[in-house]
Amino acid sequence: MKHEAGRLEAIWIKRARRGPMDSVERAAVKAGLGLVGNADQGRQRQVTIIDRQEWDARVAGLDPTPPPSVRRANLMVSGVRLADSRGQVLHVGECRIRVLGETKPCERMDEAGFGLKDALHPQWGGGAFGEVLDDGEIAVGDPVFWSASVVT
């Protein structure tokens, strides 16, 4: 699909439903579950991902500018575009994530910052969600790139 290469910029783990997002430098991932220690393991949204460049562009006009952790995503990547990536496989370090869909922002975004929900809503601005295909470990700074083939 895409021949872009990027970098894993940040990792956040949510301890409990609606709980705080803890920033970590590395995380273990389990196929079919998601990030070890994350509250939302094993569902369809095993991992949520936001694009650094897309985030920066979307929040530029908000005052104050919210930090990316308020998006409540698990991973922030740079150098790869997430828009229209449903069905594609994203390599993050030694692991693969199949993108299952677009993450639509909810009312929690306006709790984090007025206007954030509307700013993130159009065309994949809220990021993507997917399922983890491999066990392994990921770390901030790991390479991120799209697979050349679709995994079904």
Side-chain angles (χ1 to χ4, degrees):
M1 171 191 168
K2 302 167 183 170
H3 300 288
E4 303 170 80
R7 178 181 189 275
L8 180 58
E9 297 289 336
I11 304 169
W12 295 282
I13 295 178
K14 180 171 45 173
R15 286 181 255 164
R17 186 175 180 277
R18 295 185 66 100
M21 301 299 288
D22 297 324
S23 178
V24 297
E25 288 296 311
R26 36 186 357 97
V29 294
K30 292 294 262 175
L33 292 176
L35 296 174
V36 173
N38 197 59
D40 296 326
Q41 287 193 352
R43 297 195 252 179
Q44 188 179 34
R45 291 183 181 205
Q46 295 171 12
V47 176
T48 53
I49 311 162
I50 56 174
D51 168 347
R52 179 67 194 229
Q53 289 80 6
E54 193 70 32
W55 171 266
D56 289 346
R58 304 271 181 145
V59 302
L62 300 179
D63 186 28
T65 303
S69 60
V70 303
R71 179 61 193 102
R72 305 186 60 73
N74 297 118
L75 308 177
M76 176 178 266
V77 297
S78 64
V80 295
R81 294 195 33 83
L82 298 173
D84 301 317
S85 60
R86 187 182 327 271
Q88 301 301 312
V89 175
L90 186 66
H91 293 255
V92 179
E94 60 187 51
C95 300
R96 296 174 302 148
I97 299 168
R98 180 186 3 239
V99 174
L100 298 177
E102 176 183 3
T103 306
K104 292 285 192 180
C106 65
E107 64 282 348
R108 301 263 344 248
M109 294 303 94
D110 279 339
E111 292 171 14
F114 180 75
L116 185 56
K117 180 181 176 187
D118 288 342
L120 296 176
H121 196 268
Q123 302 173 323
W124 294 72
F129 67 90
E131 65 180 330
V132 176
L133 301 177
D134 305 296
D135 291 350
E137 187 171 287
I138 58 174
V140 171
D142 278 351
V144 175
F145 59 93
W146 292 107
S147 179
S149 61
V150 176
V151 176
T152 56

